[in-house]
Amino acid sequence: MKPKKKPSKELQRLTIKLEFTDTDNEYFDNSHFEVLVNGAIKQVLGIAAPPYSILNFDANTLKGTIEVSEEHLNLIWSALSIYGTHFGKKVAVHLNSIYVILYYFHLPKRIRCDFKGKHVFITGGSKGIGKAIAEEVIARGCKTVSIAARSKSALESATDDLRKLCSSDQFVNWYPLDLSKKYDEIENVIKAAVEESGNVDILINNAGAVIQGGFDELDMNAFENQMRTNYLSAVYVTRCVIESMKKNRSGHVAFVSSAAGQCAIWGYTAYSPSKFALRGFAEALHMELLPFNVGVSILFPPNTNTEGFHEELKTMPEEIHQISHSAGVFSAKEVGSALVDNIGNGEFCTTVGLEGWMLGVLTAGAAPEPNILRAITQTLLAGILRGVMLIYNGLFNRIVHKCHLKKNKTE
């Protein structure tokens, strides 16, 4: 029994043009067209194929038309395109106009964020990127900035600096917080911030640390330490604030990862996995929170001129120094401003600099992308940038090899 057709206003038409490699197509008529289309859809989709109707076929122009519900338009289009590309049949599918293509290009909703009057909570907010983010959100009119970090003296100093930027109706509060602790201890600090300033509207998970060195040279505790500080801390803090955001159907959660969370290099066997984990968490959380109108974003900062980076340089192995040197060093203000801009615009991924942009395109994968222009750019350039990245990898491997030879000579 054939399923009933939906009302015509819900149906869309696909125009299919057949392209033959030979000229012997004079006997290709409507019945052949039906066999070809039905076979293509069945081979690709099997029993998952949605209902559709074959309307007509013009043997002179070799064009035929299929009618399908708008819900399944992309599925049929993809099936025929895959069949034409991978099963030896040249079937070109053309939609009626580029507008229709864009209209049915299903991207996640862009959830923009207004900072005015909001309570922003920033982990690792006493220095570097975290402090720069605090300065940016104050400039954009947030009501309260709550910063958390381990060092009480650093928090007091940062709070003094930030309060100088505030208007009379803006506030800055600070909370000592060791994010390597258990969930209950972290939850108590978040509760204190909520009691003082109201629910957290925007959470910036910025706290993190780096442990670098050859895999077999690192203390085994380093791996657990990195996951707890860089990944689990963000999970815990996010868990503390997410209930109120979902209830209010408003809010934003941002994560600060690293370029090392896109491209792992020598010396980051403990650090990179913790930053890659943040990305996986952010992508999954984005999908979960989309129905609740809560935004999620992630920042992949390059080398940034902060106190923490200068500390890293003191013990940075030569391999890491040479590999990361080519990307340059950016100011905390540049990085913080880029993230705050993208939070406001409802973007998911934030990168900084040319190499950051290339990595963002190359590693987009299955990540959510609410920006149609970015989606098209990623689709068109991913293959090319894969080739570019292979060249970079070759350079990185040569650097590691030279450093290896140098070490052997000195031993």
Side-chain angles (χ1 to χ4, degrees):
M1 179 177 177
K2 293 184 179 180
K4 293 181 179 180
K5 287 187 177 182
K6 294 183 178 180
S8 59
K9 67 178 181 179
E10 296 183 9
L11 298 177
Q12 299 294 325
R13 292 185 177 185
L14 283 173
T15 299
I16 302 173
K17 185 179 187 306
L18 303 183
E19 298 174 357
F20 292 91
T21 55
D22 54 51
T23 58
D24 188 18
N25 54 40
E26 56 182 305
Y27 298 112
F28 200 93
D29 57 18
N30 190 71
S31 61
H32 295 101
F33 178 72
E34 289 187 8
V35 171
L36 176 62
V37 171
N38 289 334
I41 293 174
K42 182 178 180 180
Q43 187 164 352
V44 176
L45 298 178
I47 61 174
Y52 61 91
S53 300
I54 298 175
L55 300 183
N56 54 62
F57 176 74
D58 187 333
N60 294 320
T61 61
L62 295 179
K63 290 183 179 181
T65 304
I66 294 178
E67 193 171 60
V68 62
S69 70
E70 62 181 48
E71 178 184 1
H72 299 119
L73 180 68
N74 280 340
L75 186 61
I76 293 294
W77 177 27
S78 300
L80 291 172
S81 297
I82 291 170
Y83 184 81
T85 303
H86 298 288
F87 292 95
K89 304 291 184 180
K90 286 199 171 184
V91 181
V93 181
H94 306 279
L95 296 185
N96 292 328
S97 67
I98 190 66
Y99 171 78
V100 178
I101 295 176
L102 296 179
Y103 183 81
Y104 289 104
F105 202 113
H106 293 294
L107 298 179
K109 178 174 62 174
R110 186 194 294 257
I111 303 175
R112 300 181 186 274
C113 184
D114 185 0
F115 294 92
K116 291 182 179 179
K118 300 295 174 58
H119 178 195
V120 182
F121 192 98
I122 306 172
T123 65
S126 63
K127 297 179 181 179
I129 295 174
K131 185 180 178 183
I133 293 171
E135 293 171 353
E136 286 292 328
V137 297
I138 288 172
R140 299 178 195 223
C142 74
K143 182 178 181 180
T144 304
V145 176
S146 296
I147 58 174
R150 290 185 182 184
S151 171
K152 181 179 177 180
S153 60
L155 284 167
E156 290 176 335
S157 176
T159 299
D160 290 341
D161 292 339
L162 293 173
R163 283 175 176 167
K164 294 175 183 177
L165 305 175
C166 294
S167 62
S168 59
D169 58 348
Q170 291 180 300
F171 306 93
V172 179
N173 300 319
W174 58 270
Y175 302 91
L177 177 60
D178 184 351
L179 287 167
S180 65
K181 299 298 183 180
K182 294 182 178 180
Y183 174 76
D184 292 344
E185 296 180 46
I186 294 173
E187 185 181 30
N188 289 335
V189 173
I190 303 300
K191 284 181 177 179
V194 171
E195 288 177 5
E196 187 168 3
S197 306
N199 289 330
V200 174
D201 300 299
I202 301 167
L203 170 64
I204 312 291
N205 287 294
N206 170 69
V210 57
I211 298 177
Q212 51 197 353
F215 171 66
D216 55 347
E217 299 170 358
L218 295 175
D219 187 287
M220 288 305 297
N221 291 327
F223 298 92
E224 182 178 350
N225 175 286
Q226 289 284 264
M227 290 301 292
R228 183 171 293 280
T229 302
N230 296 337
Y231 171 63
L232 287 177
S233 66
V235 174
Y236 292 165
V237 178
T238 301
R239 185 63 175 268
C240 292
V241 305
I242 209 65
E243 183 178 351
S244 64
M245 290 185 181
K246 290 171 68 174
K247 182 178 180 180
N248 295 329
R249 300 187 63 81
S250 175
H252 192 97
V253 180
F255 300 92
V256 177
S257 180
S258 166
Q262 297 171 293
C263 175
I265 62 172
W266 190 100
Y268 282 162
T269 53
Y271 179 63
S272 280
S274 66
K275 291 299 187 177
F276 270 92
L278 271 182
R279 176 178 187 144
F281 179 46
E283 290 185 11
L285 190 65
H286 178 277
M287 189 175 290
E288 286 193 23
L289 297 182
L290 201 58
F292 296 93
N293 200 47
V294 176
V296 175
S297 60
I298 187 165
L299 166 68
F300 297 100
N303 288 337
T304 307
N305 187 15
T306 64
E307 298 92 329
F309 179 65
H310 289 293
E311 284 298 314
E312 289 176 39
L313 288 175
K314 294 178 182 179
T315 58
M316 182 176 286
E318 183 64 20
E319 292 90 341
I320 299 177
H321 182 75
Q322 289 192 33
I323 290 173
S324 62
H325 178 72
S326 63
V329 179
F330 293 80
S331 70
K333 180 175 178 58
E334 288 176 296
V335 175
S337 178
L339 175 62
V340 174
D341 281 342
N342 279 353
I343 291 174
N345 292 329
E347 306 286 2
F348 175 74
C349 176
T350 300
T351 58
V352 182
L354 176 61
E355 292 191 4
W357 173 80
M358 288 194 297
L359 275 176
V361 173
L362 182 61
T363 62
E369 181 50 74
N371 188 317
I372 183 65
L373 294 179
R374 284 189 178 190
I376 293 173
T377 300
Q378 292 161 5
T379 302
L380 296 177
L381 297 183
I384 296 173
L385 292 180
R386 170 58 176 159
V388 173
M389 197 61 220
L390 288 173
I391 296 173
Y392 271 85
N393 280 339
L395 294 174
F396 297 163
N397 287 329
R398 280 197 285 274
I399 289 172
V400 172
H401 182 65
K402 288 180 180 179
C403 290
H404 175 71
L405 294 177
K406 184 178 179 180
K407 288 178 182 177
N408 286 343
K409 287 182 180 180
T410 57
E411 290 179 356

